[in-house]
Amino acid sequence: TLDTFQDDKIMENAKAMFTPWENALHDLKDLPRVVDIRNCGIIGAIEFEAHNDEGDAERYAREVFEELFERGIMARYTGCTIALSPPLILDQSHIDQLFTTIREVVTDLL
């Protein structure tokens, strides 16, 4: 495993994808119901606000999670937050596909 990481320059790739990942993630801040976006490296989170009642944000996050899964995107949800942790071998096309799909899902579910 360590040889593969070194030979395939997997950590170097993750480091190179940090800025494109961060930019694409934080570009979602204009979406309705998004109240916080955060990341640490290429791990990210999108937090949603409640509309009607306290549990509303959690239900919305689950709906986003389920629709992302239906569209081939693996994410996690916890409470009112969608968490993203892509494989370290991602490239710009993966970032583009992921965040285009997230934008579509969040917009479609309004």
Side-chain angles (χ1 to χ4, degrees):
T1 301
L2 294 175
D3 288 342
T4 299
F5 266 73
Q6 184 175 2
D7 295 345
D8 293 347
K9 299 182 180 180
I10 292 174
M11 295 310 291
E12 289 86 347
N13 181 69
K15 195 179 293 186
M17 291 293 103
F18 166 72
T19 299
W21 169 270
E22 184 174 54
N23 291 340
L25 176 64
H26 287 270
D27 279 348
L28 299 177
K29 68 180 178 270
D30 67 323
L31 288 174
R33 298 193 70 169
V34 171
V35 293
D36 188 40
I37 294 179
R38 52 196 177 272
N39 70 292
C40 180
I42 59 171
I43 297 172
I46 304 165
E47 185 175 339
F48 300 103
E49 70 178 343
H51 261 322
N52 301 322
D53 60 62
E54 192 173 303
D56 184 55
E58 289 84 358
R59 284 189 298 277
Y60 184 72
R62 182 176 175 95
E63 289 174 8
V64 170
F65 160 78
E66 289 172 351
E67 185 60 28
L68 287 173
F69 185 79
E70 289 296 319
R71 297 187 191 194
I73 302 294
M74 178 56 85
R76 293 184 319 279
Y77 83 97
T78 177
C80 57
T81 302
I82 295 294
L84 307 163
S85 52
L88 300 177
I89 59 169
L90 84 158
D91 61 29
Q92 186 63 51
S93 69
H94 299 125
I95 292 171
D96 295 343
Q97 178 188 11
L98 172 67
F99 291 108
T100 296
T101 305
I102 291 172
R103 181 172 288 282
E104 290 170 356
V105 166
V106 170
T107 303
D108 290 351
L109 289 176
L110 291 177

